[in-house]
Amino acid sequence: MTVSVSDNDLLNKNDSVNHSARYPVICIDGPSGAGKGTVTWRLAQVLGYQLLDSGALYRIVGLKAFEAGLITADASHLIDESAVLALTKSLEIAFLPNNDSGRVDIIVNGQAVGDQVRNETVGGYASQIAVFPTVRQALLTLQQDMATRSGLVADGRDMGTVVFPDADVKVYLTASAEARAERRVTQLVNAGQAADFDSILATIKERDDRDENRSTAPSKPAADALLLDSSMLDADAVYEQVKRHCQDKGLFFNS
Ligand SMILES: Nc1ncnc2c1ncn2[C@@H]1O[C@H](COP(=O)(O)OP(=O)(O)O)[C@@H](O)[C@H]1O
Ligand SMILES: Nc1ccn([C@@H]2O[C@H](COP(=O)(O)OP(=O)(O)O)[C@@H](O)[C@H]2O)c(=O)n1
């Protein structure tokens, strides 16, 4: 697998203040719906850093594994790890930051992958293949390589624990499962789609359970992470707290 990122205005804006050979890395980990993507995007924009949406990598592999018949939606049969690994290695992925959506667009083997990859079902596929150590290993160095060109804000489950253990800033963003399910309902309703709170809550809890209890790189706070519960905070308040923490760790903000 290869991953590339477009050289657009999101990248390297802050290069003038980063003269060291090692670029700053900010890790934002936590469960689904905690608000990681929202604060990651804003930090990347303000700081001019590159953005790593690591969940998108697992989502792409999960979707392609489902399409290839390697996994089922109900996680009912034993998955062939070596087949998922071979598929992972065959993928060429490009990320293109999209200012309209506040997310990265994803190109796989030259073809744009639509919004489908962001839905809850594909999140479930992702968490099925994310348990495999060999698949995680195949994704490791290409994630780490993204910190060699500019500052990086990395969003995921194991950014602070496994991928960037020496990161300058680590945040573990949580919220109650109910608050996160409510956000997903609002998101779907705003997109004109039907949303059932109870089934979304059940799906979120199932994914939390799989992500937190797998043996390789489980979702958990790094020992040196700031723990932030966003249940009672809006997105601006979360950003301000994370920004303050970054400043405490020596990162410079122009605005
Ligand atoms: N602090 C917050 N309070 C309420 N809603 C939020 C907050 N942060 C993000 N959201 C909204 O919740 C949804 C999920 O946020 P997102 O950043 O995608 O979470 P994650 O990346 O952790 O899954 C989005 O619709 C987003 O606009
Ligand atoms: N660093 C990461 C990122 C995601 N993942 C897996 O990929 C799934 C989708 O991640 P995501 O970050 O896109 O999900 P959301 O938090 O946006 O719902 C997670 O539920 C994890 O199973 C992972 O194992 N490690």
Side-chain angles (χ1 to χ4, degrees), residues 36-75:
K36 303 180 302 295
T38 304
V39 74
T40 296
W41 178 268
R42 192 159 166 191
L43 286 168
Q45 281 208 311
V46 169
L47 291 165
Y49 289 4
Q50 195 165 261
L51 182 159
L52 168 59
D53 179 357
S54 64
L57 299 175
Y58 290 93
R59 283 171 179 270
I60 291 295
V61 176
L63 179 61
K64 295 293 171 191
F66 177 76
E67 287 173 355
L70 298 175
I71 60 174
T72 56
D74 62 3

mmCIF file of all heavy atoms in Angstrom, residues 36-75:
data_model
loop_
_atom_site.group_PDB
_atom_site.id
_atom_site.type_symbol
_atom_site.label_atom_id
_atom_site.label_comp_id
_atom_site.label_asym_id
_atom_site.label_seq_id
_atom_site.Cartn_x
_atom_site.Cartn_y
_atom_site.Cartn_z
ATOM 1 N N LYS A 36 -13.081 13.957 17.214
ATOM 2 C CA LYS A 36 -11.670 13.966 16.805
ATOM 3 C C LYS A 36 -11.469 14.646 15.456
ATOM 4 O O LYS A 36 -10.603 15.504 15.300
ATOM 5 C CB LYS A 36 -11.125 12.520 16.682
ATOM 6 C CG LYS A 36 -11.252 11.689 17.912
ATOM 7 C CD LYS A 36 -10.697 10.287 17.690
ATOM 8 C CE LYS A 36 -11.361 9.525 16.559
ATOM 9 N NZ LYS A 36 -12.788 9.218 16.794
ATOM 10 N N GLY A 37 -12.274 14.224 14.464
ATOM 11 C CA GLY A 37 -12.111 14.762 13.111
ATOM 12 C C GLY A 37 -12.307 16.269 13.084
ATOM 13 O O GLY A 37 -11.587 16.991 12.380
ATOM 14 N N THR A 38 -13.260 16.748 13.877
ATOM 15 C CA THR A 38 -13.587 18.178 13.894
ATOM 16 C C THR A 38 -12.411 18.998 14.429
ATOM 17 O O THR A 38 -11.995 19.978 13.809
ATOM 18 C CB THR A 38 -14.848 18.401 14.774
ATOM 19 O OG1 THR A 38 -15.900 17.578 14.265
ATOM 20 C CG2 THR A 38 -15.255 19.855 14.800
ATOM 21 N N VAL A 39 -11.862 18.570 15.551
ATOM 22 C CA VAL A 39 -10.766 19.352 16.147
ATOM 23 C C VAL A 39 -9.472 19.141 15.354
ATOM 24 O O VAL A 39 -8.657 20.076 15.213
ATOM 25 C CB VAL A 39 -10.607 19.034 17.663
ATOM 26 C CG1 VAL A 39 -9.982 17.684 17.912
ATOM 27 C CG2 VAL A 39 -9.789 20.121 18.353
ATOM 28 N N THR A 40 -9.301 17.965 14.771
ATOM 29 C CA THR A 40 -8.105 17.694 13.967
ATOM 30 C C THR A 40 -8.059 18.612 12.747
ATOM 31 O O THR A 40 -7.025 19.221 12.435
ATOM 32 C CB THR A 40 -8.095 16.214 13.511
ATOM 33 O OG1 THR A 40 -7.994 15.386 14.658
ATOM 34 C CG2 THR A 40 -6.939 15.917 12.579
ATOM 35 N N TRP A 41 -9.194 18.724 12.070
ATOM 36 C CA TRP A 41 -9.254 19.583 10.876
ATOM 37 C C TRP A 41 -8.912 21.026 11.228
ATOM 38 O O TRP A 41 -8.116 21.682 10.558
ATOM 39 C CB TRP A 41 -10.652 19.493 10.249
ATOM 40 C CG TRP A 41 -10.800 20.388 9.049
ATOM 41 C CD1 TRP A 41 -11.270 21.676 9.045
ATOM 42 C CD2 TRP A 41 -10.438 20.091 7.699
ATOM 43 N NE1 TRP A 41 -11.223 22.187 7.765
ATOM 44 C CE2 TRP A 41 -10.727 21.229 6.921
ATOM 45 C CE3 TRP A 41 -9.908 18.954 7.067
ATOM 46 C CZ2 TRP A 41 -10.499 21.272 5.542
ATOM 47 C CZ3 TRP A 41 -9.684 19.006 5.689
ATOM 48 C CH2 TRP A 41 -9.979 20.156 4.953
ATOM 49 N N ARG A 42 -9.517 21.506 12.327
ATOM 50 C CA ARG A 42 -9.307 22.911 12.698
ATOM 51 C C ARG A 42 -7.845 23.178 13.083
ATOM 52 O O ARG A 42 -7.261 24.196 12.671
ATOM 53 C CB ARG A 42 -10.255 23.275 13.850
ATOM 54 C CG ARG A 42 -10.312 24.749 14.114
ATOM 55 C CD ARG A 42 -11.566 25.108 14.854
ATOM 56 N NE ARG A 42 -11.484 26.452 15.407
ATOM 57 C CZ ARG A 42 -12.340 26.963 16.269
ATOM 58 N NH1 ARG A 42 -13.365 26.240 16.681
ATOM 59 N NH2 ARG A 42 -12.190 28.194 16.730
ATOM 60 N N LEU A 43 -7.259 22.272 13.830
ATOM 61 C CA LEU A 43 -5.846 22.439 14.209
ATOM 62 C C LEU A 43 -4.954 22.438 12.966
ATOM 63 O O LEU A 43 -4.039 23.264 12.851
ATOM 64 C CB LEU A 43 -5.405 21.295 15.131
ATOM 65 C CG LEU A 43 -5.911 21.321 16.570
ATOM 66 C CD1 LEU A 43 -5.623 19.986 17.242
ATOM 67 C CD2 LEU A 43 -5.275 22.472 17.365
ATOM 68 N N ALA A 44 -5.220 21.525 12.041
ATOM 69 C CA ALA A 44 -4.394 21.429 10.823
ATOM 70 C C ALA A 44 -4.491 22.718 10.020
ATOM 71 O O ALA A 44 -3.490 23.218 9.500
ATOM 72 C CB ALA A 44 -4.819 20.220 9.990
ATOM 73 N N GLN A 45 -5.701 23.266 9.957
ATOM 74 C CA GLN A 45 -5.872 24.510 9.197
ATOM 75 C C GLN A 45 -5.146 25.670 9.849
ATOM 76 O O GLN A 45 -4.430 26.426 9.202
ATOM 77 C CB GLN A 45 -7.355 24.833 9.105
ATOM 78 C CG GLN A 45 -8.057 24.009 8.035
ATOM 79 C CD GLN A 45 -9.251 24.737 7.479
ATOM 80 O OE1 GLN A 45 -10.056 25.227 8.255
ATOM 81 N NE2 GLN A 45 -9.369 24.814 6.169
ATOM 82 N N VAL A 46 -5.351 25.825 11.165
ATOM 83 C CA VAL A 46 -4.767 26.963 11.879
ATOM 84 C C VAL A 46 -3.241 26.880 11.888
ATOM 85 O O VAL A 46 -2.552 27.889 11.700
ATOM 86 C CB VAL A 46 -5.327 27.028 13.325
ATOM 87 C CG1 VAL A 46 -4.555 28.020 14.170
ATOM 88 C CG2 VAL A 46 -6.808 27.382 13.300
ATOM 89 N N LEU A 47 -2.718 25.673 12.087
ATOM 90 C CA LEU A 47 -1.268 25.519 12.207
ATOM 91 C C LEU A 47 -0.578 25.326 10.850
ATOM 92 O O LEU A 47 0.636 25.434 10.759
ATOM 93 C CB LEU A 47 -0.947 24.323 13.118
ATOM 94 C CG LEU A 47 -1.301 24.515 14.599
ATOM 95 C CD1 LEU A 47 -1.285 23.181 15.332
ATOM 96 C CD2 LEU A 47 -0.333 25.495 15.267
ATOM 97 N N GLY A 48 -1.366 25.012 9.816
ATOM 98 C CA GLY A 48 -0.765 24.728 8.510
ATOM 99 C C GLY A 48 -0.072 23.381 8.494
ATOM 100 O O GLY A 48 0.900 23.177 7.770
ATOM 101 N N TYR A 49 -0.564 22.470 9.304
ATOM 102 C CA TYR A 49 0.026 21.125 9.356
ATOM 103 C C TYR A 49 -0.726 20.201 8.404
ATOM 104 O O TYR A 49 -1.873 20.443 8.040
ATOM 105 C CB TYR A 49 -0.094 20.535 10.766
ATOM 106 C CG TYR A 49 0.772 21.138 11.838
ATOM 107 C CD1 TYR A 49 1.598 22.231 11.602
ATOM 108 C CD2 TYR A 49 0.754 20.606 13.122
ATOM 109 C CE1 TYR A 49 2.381 22.770 12.616
ATOM 110 C CE2 TYR A 49 1.535 21.135 14.139
ATOM 111 C CZ TYR A 49 2.340 22.225 13.889
ATOM 112 O OH TYR A 49 3.097 22.745 14.891
ATOM 113 N N GLN A 50 -0.073 19.093 8.093
ATOM 114 C CA GLN A 50 -0.714 18.028 7.355
ATOM 115 C C GLN A 50 -1.668 17.285 8.302
ATOM 116 O O GLN A 50 -1.479 17.314 9.519
ATOM 117 C CB GLN A 50 0.393 17.096 6.876
ATOM 118 C CG GLN A 50 0.004 16.145 5.813
ATOM 119 C CD GLN A 50 1.254 15.558 5.181
ATOM 120 O OE1 GLN A 50 1.697 15.980 4.140
ATOM 121 N NE2 GLN A 50 1.846 14.588 5.827
ATOM 122 N N LEU A 51 -2.634 16.609 7.727
ATOM 123 C CA LEU A 51 -3.626 15.906 8.539
ATOM 124 C C LEU A 51 -3.584 14.416 8.191
ATOM 125 O O LEU A 51 -3.586 14.051 7.017
ATOM 126 C CB LEU A 51 -4.979 16.509 8.183
ATOM 127 C CG LEU A 51 -6.263 16.075 8.857
ATOM 128 C CD1 LEU A 51 -7.306 17.177 8.682
ATOM 129 C CD2 LEU A 51 -6.793 14.795 8.252
ATOM 130 N N LEU A 52 -3.525 13.583 9.221
ATOM 131 C CA LEU A 52 -3.618 12.134 8.988
ATOM 132 C C LEU A 52 -4.938 11.624 9.544
ATOM 133 O O LEU A 52 -5.154 11.649 10.755
ATOM 134 C CB LEU A 52 -2.446 11.408 9.676
ATOM 135 C CG LEU A 52 -2.565 9.873 9.760
ATOM 136 C CD1 LEU A 52 -2.699 9.239 8.383
ATOM 137 C CD2 LEU A 52 -1.375 9.280 10.512
ATOM 138 N N ASP A 53 -5.826 11.196 8.654
ATOM 139 C CA ASP A 53 -7.090 10.583 9.054
ATOM 140 C C ASP A 53 -6.864 9.068 9.009
ATOM 141 O O ASP A 53 -7.179 8.406 8.026
ATOM 142 C CB ASP A 53 -8.181 11.021 8.059
ATOM 143 C CG ASP A 53 -9.536 10.413 8.365
ATOM 144 O OD1 ASP A 53 -9.631 9.604 9.307
ATOM 145 O OD2 ASP A 53 -10.500 10.752 7.652
ATOM 146 N N SER A 54 -6.282 8.536 10.098
ATOM 147 C CA SER A 54 -5.880 7.117 10.052
ATOM 148 C C SER A 54 -7.096 6.200 9.938
ATOM 149 O O SER A 54 -7.016 5.125 9.344
ATOM 150 C CB SER A 54 -5.040 6.750 11.280
ATOM 151 O OG SER A 54 -5.803 6.882 12.464
ATOM 152 N N GLY A 55 -8.241 6.650 10.493
ATOM 153 C CA GLY A 55 -9.443 5.824 10.388
ATOM 154 C C GLY A 55 -9.833 5.581 8.944
ATOM 155 O O GLY A 55 -10.357 4.518 8.598
ATOM 156 N N ALA A 56 -9.549 6.567 8.070
ATOM 157 C CA ALA A 56 -9.893 6.405 6.655
ATOM 158 C C ALA A 56 -9.131 5.228 6.050
ATOM 159 O O ALA A 56 -9.655 4.513 5.196
ATOM 160 C CB ALA A 56 -9.587 7.689 5.880
ATOM 161 N N LEU A 57 -7.888 5.002 6.503
ATOM 162 C CA LEU A 57 -7.111 3.864 5.981
ATOM 163 C C LEU A 57 -7.796 2.549 6.340
ATOM 164 O O LEU A 57 -7.965 1.664 5.506
ATOM 165 C CB LEU A 57 -5.688 3.881 6.559
ATOM 166 C CG LEU A 57 -4.834 5.104 6.235
ATOM 167 C CD1 LEU A 57 -3.509 5.032 6.986
ATOM 168 C CD2 LEU A 57 -4.587 5.178 4.734
ATOM 169 N N TYR A 58 -8.212 2.440 7.627
ATOM 170 C CA TYR A 58 -8.877 1.208 8.066
ATOM 171 C C TYR A 58 -10.253 1.068 7.391
ATOM 172 O O TYR A 58 -10.691 -0.039 7.073
ATOM 173 C CB TYR A 58 -8.994 1.189 9.596
ATOM 174 C CG TYR A 58 -7.645 1.014 10.243
ATOM 175 C CD1 TYR A 58 -6.882 2.117 10.640
ATOM 176 C CD2 TYR A 58 -7.093 -0.255 10.404
ATOM 177 C CE1 TYR A 58 -5.626 1.958 11.197
ATOM 178 C CE2 TYR A 58 -5.829 -0.426 10.964
ATOM 179 C CZ TYR A 58 -5.104 0.689 11.346
ATOM 180 O OH TYR A 58 -3.841 0.518 11.889
ATOM 181 N N ARG A 59 -10.914 2.195 7.174
ATOM 182 C CA ARG A 59 -12.223 2.140 6.503
ATOM 183 C C ARG A 59 -12.086 1.633 5.064
ATOM 184 O O ARG A 59 -12.884 0.824 4.596
ATOM 185 C CB ARG A 59 -12.868 3.534 6.497
ATOM 186 C CG ARG A 59 -13.468 3.908 7.846
ATOM 187 C CD ARG A 59 -13.909 5.361 7.897
ATOM 188 N NE ARG A 59 -14.496 5.657 9.188
ATOM 189 C CZ ARG A 59 -15.790 5.524 9.494
ATOM 190 N NH1 ARG A 59 -16.645 5.150 8.556
ATOM 191 N NH2 ARG A 59 -16.231 5.786 10.699
ATOM 192 N N ILE A 60 -11.057 2.143 4.356
ATOM 193 C CA ILE A 60 -10.846 1.703 2.965
ATOM 194 C C ILE A 60 -10.563 0.202 2.911
ATOM 195 O O ILE A 60 -11.142 -0.531 2.115
ATOM 196 C CB ILE A 60 -9.643 2.463 2.341
ATOM 197 C CG1 ILE A 60 -9.986 3.927 2.129
ATOM 198 C CG2 ILE A 60 -9.191 1.829 1.043
ATOM 199 C CD1 ILE A 60 -11.071 4.149 1.123
ATOM 200 N N VAL A 61 -9.664 -0.245 3.797
ATOM 201 C CA VAL A 61 -9.345 -1.685 3.806
ATOM 202 C C VAL A 61 -10.607 -2.487 4.151
ATOM 203 O O VAL A 61 -10.905 -3.503 3.522
ATOM 204 C CB VAL A 61 -8.195 -1.988 4.800
ATOM 205 C CG1 VAL A 61 -7.940 -3.487 4.862
ATOM 206 C CG2 VAL A 61 -6.919 -1.253 4.389
ATOM 207 N N GLY A 62 -11.381 -2.000 5.137
ATOM 208 C CA GLY A 62 -12.616 -2.700 5.527
ATOM 209 C C GLY A 62 -13.601 -2.771 4.381
ATOM 210 O O GLY A 62 -14.172 -3.839 4.097
ATOM 211 N N LEU A 63 -13.777 -1.659 3.670
ATOM 212 C CA LEU A 63 -14.726 -1.631 2.554
ATOM 213 C C LEU A 63 -14.280 -2.570 1.435
ATOM 214 O O LEU A 63 -15.068 -3.351 0.900
ATOM 215 C CB LEU A 63 -14.859 -0.193 2.032
ATOM 216 C CG LEU A 63 -15.792 0.008 0.840
ATOM 217 C CD1 LEU A 63 -17.223 -0.403 1.184
ATOM 218 C CD2 LEU A 63 -15.774 1.471 0.370
ATOM 219 N N LYS A 64 -12.987 -2.485 1.092
ATOM 220 C CA LYS A 64 -12.481 -3.343 0.014
ATOM 221 C C LYS A 64 -12.549 -4.825 0.413
ATOM 222 O O LYS A 64 -12.818 -5.687 -0.413
ATOM 223 C CB LYS A 64 -11.034 -2.953 -0.357
ATOM 224 C CG LYS A 64 -10.931 -1.556 -0.950
ATOM 225 C CD LYS A 64 -11.607 -1.495 -2.304
ATOM 226 C CE LYS A 64 -11.731 -0.082 -2.835
ATOM 227 N NZ LYS A 64 -12.599 0.036 -4.011
ATOM 228 N N ALA A 65 -12.300 -5.116 1.691
ATOM 229 C CA ALA A 65 -12.389 -6.509 2.167
ATOM 230 C C ALA A 65 -13.833 -7.003 2.080
ATOM 231 O O ALA A 65 -14.081 -8.154 1.706
ATOM 232 C CB ALA A 65 -11.872 -6.606 3.604
ATOM 233 N N PHE A 66 -14.777 -6.123 2.382
ATOM 234 C CA PHE A 66 -16.193 -6.512 2.272
ATOM 235 C C PHE A 66 -16.536 -6.761 0.805
ATOM 236 O O PHE A 66 -17.153 -7.778 0.463
ATOM 237 C CB PHE A 66 -17.088 -5.419 2.858
ATOM 238 C CG PHE A 66 -18.550 -5.721 2.700
ATOM 239 C CD1 PHE A 66 -19.170 -6.665 3.512
ATOM 240 C CD2 PHE A 66 -19.302 -5.083 1.727
ATOM 241 C CE1 PHE A 66 -20.514 -6.976 3.352
ATOM 242 C CE2 PHE A 66 -20.651 -5.383 1.556
ATOM 243 C CZ PHE A 66 -21.256 -6.333 2.372
ATOM 244 N N GLU A 67 -16.112 -5.830 -0.058
ATOM 245 C CA GLU A 67 -16.422 -5.978 -1.491
ATOM 246 C C GLU A 67 -15.805 -7.259 -2.071
ATOM 247 O O GLU A 67 -16.351 -7.855 -2.985
ATOM 248 C CB GLU A 67 -15.925 -4.759 -2.270
ATOM 249 C CG GLU A 67 -16.787 -3.521 -2.018
ATOM 250 C CD GLU A 67 -16.222 -2.232 -2.636
ATOM 251 O OE1 GLU A 67 -15.101 -2.255 -3.192
ATOM 252 O OE2 GLU A 67 -16.902 -1.218 -2.535
ATOM 253 N N ALA A 68 -14.645 -7.645 -1.505
ATOM 254 C CA ALA A 68 -13.976 -8.858 -1.995
ATOM 255 C C ALA A 68 -14.535 -10.122 -1.333
ATOM 256 O O ALA A 68 -14.046 -11.225 -1.578
ATOM 257 C CB ALA A 68 -12.475 -8.746 -1.720
ATOM 258 N N GLY A 69 -15.534 -9.948 -0.463
ATOM 259 C CA GLY A 69 -16.156 -11.112 0.189
ATOM 260 C C GLY A 69 -15.319 -11.693 1.323
ATOM 261 O O GLY A 69 -15.560 -12.817 1.765
ATOM 262 N N LEU A 70 -14.342 -10.912 1.815
ATOM 263 C CA LEU A 70 -13.473 -11.432 2.883
ATOM 264 C C LEU A 70 -14.092 -11.270 4.270
ATOM 265 O O LEU A 70 -13.708 -11.955 5.213
ATOM 266 C CB LEU A 70 -12.109 -10.717 2.853
ATOM 267 C CG LEU A 70 -11.286 -10.903 1.581
ATOM 268 C CD1 LEU A 70 -10.019 -10.052 1.616
ATOM 269 C CD2 LEU A 70 -10.921 -12.383 1.427
ATOM 270 N N ILE A 71 -15.025 -10.306 4.419
ATOM 271 C CA ILE A 71 -15.720 -10.139 5.699
ATOM 272 C C ILE A 71 -17.222 -10.019 5.426
ATOM 273 O O ILE A 71 -17.637 -9.702 4.310
ATOM 274 C CB ILE A 71 -15.232 -8.894 6.491
ATOM 275 C CG1 ILE A 71 -15.468 -7.600 5.689
ATOM 276 C CG2 ILE A 71 -13.789 -9.002 6.872
ATOM 277 C CD1 ILE A 71 -15.146 -6.336 6.487
ATOM 278 N N THR A 72 -18.004 -10.243 6.474
ATOM 279 C CA THR A 72 -19.454 -10.076 6.356
ATOM 280 C C THR A 72 -19.899 -8.937 7.269
ATOM 281 O O THR A 72 -19.198 -8.597 8.231
ATOM 282 C CB THR A 72 -20.210 -11.350 6.776
ATOM 283 O OG1 THR A 72 -19.813 -11.671 8.113
ATOM 284 C CG2 THR A 72 -19.902 -12.505 5.852
ATOM 285 N N ALA A 73 -21.064 -8.381 6.977
ATOM 286 C CA ALA A 73 -21.540 -7.244 7.762
ATOM 287 C C ALA A 73 -21.747 -7.629 9.227
ATOM 288 O O ALA A 73 -21.488 -6.835 10.125
ATOM 289 C CB ALA A 73 -22.838 -6.718 7.161
ATOM 290 N N ASP A 74 -22.178 -8.857 9.488
ATOM 291 C CA ASP A 74 -22.474 -9.239 10.878
ATOM 292 C C ASP A 74 -21.275 -9.874 11.591
ATOM 293 O O ASP A 74 -21.424 -10.409 12.689
ATOM 294 C CB ASP A 74 -23.682 -10.181 10.926
ATOM 295 C CG ASP A 74 -23.414 -11.480 10.159
ATOM 296 O OD1 ASP A 74 -22.288 -11.659 9.643
ATOM 297 O OD2 ASP A 74 -24.333 -12.312 10.089
ATOM 298 N N ALA A 75 -20.093 -9.774 10.994
ATOM 299 C CA ALA A 75 -18.857 -10.288 11.606
ATOM 300 C C ALA A 75 -19.013 -11.747 12.024
ATOM 301 O O ALA A 75 -18.470 -12.168 13.035
ATOM 302 C CB ALA A 75 -18.470 -9.424 12.813
#
